[in-house]
Structure formats: structure tokens, C-alpha cells
């Protein structure tokens, strides 16, 4: 009896129609449906302010750090370090001008004409149809100095050595023949060694000798170059006498050092002035 009732109830439940499902409430609508109904159009700038454009501090905006310096109309940066640097350069320029020996470049004896192009100088002289040219550059012409402890009773300022410029220089001798020029590469050795005990020591030396095409600035490496390292002393002495007869001797070498030192100091002061103007953006 009970079994038959249970079977009838199960059959009736299977034949009963399902209730109609209502659409979901808007309040419970999934996120995907909300996106379809109202597209997301708020830009990132709205996240940092309200609808009226009022800024919201701290929202998607990191705090700005104060700049290390102030920029001016020149587009450069000016810091406290730059100000201290400019003050130092001002004092340095004053001190260098105080110890400057030559306000204008000294003249060479012997009728040499001077041409200066920046750090390069050229001395010209004509003798009986020959043209002698001496060219040097004052860059890197000051030998390194080694700090020595001041002697007893002597201050450190008094011990400071005087800087002198001893540049390498090239001598060109051109005769009437326009095809080739005799070129001698010279320098000031650190230790001047004479050829004999009673002979006067030369303060400059010849390093290399070659012939080069006249009028050409680019010399050919294919031309033979004679090195004086292994040269016979007799031939070397004749070369030095050849230069002395044309006005390139110890007197000339001394005056060249004085001229080069004055030019180097002049260019150094000009460099400090340019550096100061660059730092101050003037």
C-alpha cells in the first residue's frame, strides 16, 4: 500500500511543470553584464580628482621631490656646488693674474716672426733664400712635478717650483727647391748631457730627421726617417751646427721656453675664465 502511494507521488512529481525562472535583479547582476550595460569610460586623470577637477592628494600621484638646483633661461642647472665652484674659479683667476710675468707674449730675438693659432705657435725666418719654420704646441708641455717635503726653515709656498713649458718643436728648412723640405723633430730632454766635459751642453736635442714634400701638411710615413738614438755623434754634431747657423741654438731654445711658458699661462687663464662663464652660464 505504502509502496504504491510512493510510486504514484514520484510519477506525479515527474509530470509537474517546472516554475518559470525570473530574470536576475539589477542589483545582483554580474560584473560582465554591468560592463555591457554601462561601458567603463573614466580616464586615469579622473582617478586623481573629482568631477570638478579638484586634485586629490596622494591618489595615484607620488609626492614630488624638490629639485637639487634651479634652472635659468640658459637651460643649465645651477646648484650650490656650482656657486662654490664659481667662487673658487674667481679667486684662482685673480691669483694667476698676480703671478703672470708677461701680459703680452715676449718677442724672439733674431728677426723671428710669430704666428699664434690657439695653442699652436709658429716662428718664421728667412735667410738668403731659405725659409726656416719652427712650430710647437703648448698642450701637455709642462713636465710633471713631484711633491717634495720642504726643507727645514722653509715654507711650503716657498718650496713650490715655478712651472715652465718645454714643448716639442718641429723645424722645417726649405730651400729654393720646392720639392722637398728638411724636417727635424726636436725636444727638451730632462737631463741635458754634453758630448764632452769641456763642451757646452745643448738644452735641446734632435730626435728624428726626414725629408717631406714641401707645402704638404700631411707628411708621408713612407719617407725614410732617421732616428738619432743610434746616430753617429759626428753626424749629429753637424746637424746641430747646421741649425745653429740658421739661428736655432741654445739662445733660441731658452727664448722658446720663455715664449711657450707665457703662451701656456695665457691660455690657462683664458681657460679658467671660460670655465667660470660656463659654470655660471654667462
Amino acid at each position: 500500500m505504502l509502496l504504491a502511494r510512493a510510486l504514484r507521488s514520484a510519477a506525479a512529481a515527474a509530470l509537474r511543470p517546472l516554475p518559470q525562472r525570473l530574470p536576475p535583479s539589477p542589483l545582483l547582476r554580474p560584473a560582465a553584464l554591468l560592463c555591457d550595460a554601462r561601458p567603463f569610460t573614466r580616464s586615469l586623470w579622473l582617478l586623481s580628482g573629482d568631477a570638478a577637477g579638484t586634485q586629490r592628494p596622494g591618489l595615484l600621484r607620488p609626492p614630488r621631490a624638490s629639485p637639487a638646483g634651479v634652472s635659468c633661461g640658459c637651460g643649465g642647472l645651477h646648484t650650490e656646488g656650482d656657486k662654490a665652484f664659481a667662487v673658487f674659479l674667481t679667486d684662482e683667476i685673480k691669483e694667476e693674474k698676480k703671478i703672470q710675468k708677461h701680459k703680452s707674449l715676449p718677442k724672439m730675438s733674431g728677426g723671428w716672426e710669430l704666428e699664434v693659432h690657439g695653442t699652436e705657435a709658429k716662428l718664421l725666418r728667412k735667410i738668403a733664400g731659405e725659409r726656416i719654420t719652427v712650430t710647437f704646441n703648448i698642450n701637455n708641455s709642462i713636465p710633471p712635478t713631484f711633491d717634495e717635503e720642504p726643507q727645514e726653515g722653509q715654507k711650503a709656498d716657498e718650496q713650490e717650483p715655478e712651472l715652465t713649458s718645454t714643448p716639442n718643436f718641429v723645424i722645417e728648412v726649405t730651400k729654393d727647391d720646392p720639392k722637398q723640405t728638411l724636417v727635424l723633430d726636436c725636444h727638451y730632454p730632462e737631463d741635458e748631457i754634453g758630448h764632452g766635459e769641456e763642451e757646452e751642453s745643448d738644452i735641446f736635442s734632435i730626435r728624428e730627421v726626414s725629408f717631406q714634400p714641401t707645402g704638404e701638411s700631411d707628411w708621408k710615413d713612407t719617407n725614410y726617417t732617421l732616428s738619432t738614438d743610434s746616430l753617429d755623434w759626428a753626424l749629429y754634431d753637424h746637424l746641430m751646427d747646421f741649425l745653429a747657423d740658421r739661428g736655432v741654438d741654445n739662445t733660441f731654445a731658452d727664448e722658446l721656453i720663455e715664449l711657450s711658458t707665457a703662451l701656456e699661462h695665457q691660455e690657462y687663464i683664458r681657460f679658467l675664465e671660460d670655465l667660470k662663464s660656463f659654470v655660471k652660464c654667462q
Side-chain angles (χ1 to χ4, degrees):
M1 188 75 176
L2 294 175
L3 178 60
R5 182 181 295 178
L7 291 174
R8 286 196 298 269
S9 298
L15 296 175
R16 187 181 302 162
L18 295 174
Q20 186 178 359
R21 179 174 296 180
L22 297 176
S25 173
L27 296 177
L28 301 177
R29 187 173 301 174
L33 296 177
L34 282 173
C35 293
D36 293 339
R38 186 179 181 180
F40 183 71
T41 58
R42 300 180 69 183
S43 59
L44 289 177
W45 70 269
L46 288 175
L47 295 177
S48 61
D50 54 20
T54 305
Q55 298 295 326
R56 295 176 180 173
L59 183 60
L60 295 182
R61 184 185 295 111
R64 293 183 178 179
S66 59
V70 180
S71 178
C72 71
C74 69
L77 185 67
H78 301 284
T79 65
E80 294 298 326
D82 293 344
K83 294 180 181 179
F85 193 9
V87 172
F88 168 80
L89 290 173
T90 301
D91 296 337
E92 187 74 7
I93 293 171
K94 290 180 180 179
E95 292 300 322
E96 291 296 330
K97 288 185 176 181
K98 285 182 182 179
I99 63 175
Q100 188 178 14
K101 288 185 176 181
H102 302 280
K103 303 302 178 181
S104 59
L105 296 178
K107 294 182 178 181
M108 300 282 293
S109 62
W112 293 91
E113 298 178 4
L114 175 63
E115 295 180 2
V116 178
H117 304 281
T119 60
E120 184 178 275
K122 182 178 293 187
L123 295 166
L124 307 173
R125 186 184 185 190
K126 293 182 179 180
I127 304 177
E130 290 187 2
R131 177 184 174 91
I132 300 96
T133 304
V134 180
T135 307
F136 64 93
N137 196 307
I138 54 96
N139 282 335
N140 303 318
S141 62
I142 296 182
T145 57
F146 302 96
D147 295 335
E148 298 180 358
E149 296 182 0
Q151 300 178 359
E152 185 178 356
Q154 192 173 22
K155 297 180 180 180
D157 295 341
E158 298 176 354
Q159 183 72 11
E160 185 177 355
E162 182 179 356
L163 298 179
T164 56
S165 172
T166 55
N168 300 335
F169 57 97
V170 176
I171 305 171
E172 300 174 57
V173 181
T174 305
K175 292 182 177 289
D176 293 333
D177 182 10
K179 294 182 180 180
Q180 57 185 3
T181 297
L182 181 64
V183 179
L184 303 98
D185 186 4
C186 304
H187 74 121
Y188 292 93
E190 296 182 1
D191 299 324
E192 297 83 7
I193 302 176
H195 298 169
E197 295 182 358
E198 298 181 356
E199 293 181 355
E200 181 183 0
S201 175
D202 296 315
I203 64 175
F204 74 97
S205 301
I206 304 172
R207 291 194 299 189
E208 294 179 347
V209 186
S210 66
F211 281 106
Q212 297 294 339
T214 302
E216 295 187 10
S217 57
D218 296 333
W219 293 340
K220 296 181 178 180
D221 295 334
T222 54
N223 289 8
Y224 178 77
T225 300
L226 175 64
S227 176
T228 60
D229 291 338
S230 57
L231 190 64
D232 179 77
W233 282 118
L235 177 55
Y236 182 87
D237 287 340
H238 280 294
L239 288 173
M240 294 295 290
D241 292 339
F242 175 84
L243 293 179
D245 293 339
R246 286 153 180 82
V248 183
D249 52 10
N250 277 350
T251 301
F252 173 87
D254 277 330
E255 294 180 355
L256 181 61
I257 291 177
E258 185 179 4
L259 172 62
S260 179
T261 301
L263 178 59
E264 198 281 335
H265 199 185
Q266 184 183 89
E267 290 298 316
Y268 176 64
I269 294 175
R270 182 179 290 112
F271 170 80
L272 293 179
E273 292 173 341
D274 292 341
L275 183 58
K276 175 187 171 183
S277 298
F278 183 83
V279 172
K280 294 183 66 176
C281 197
Q282 291 180 345

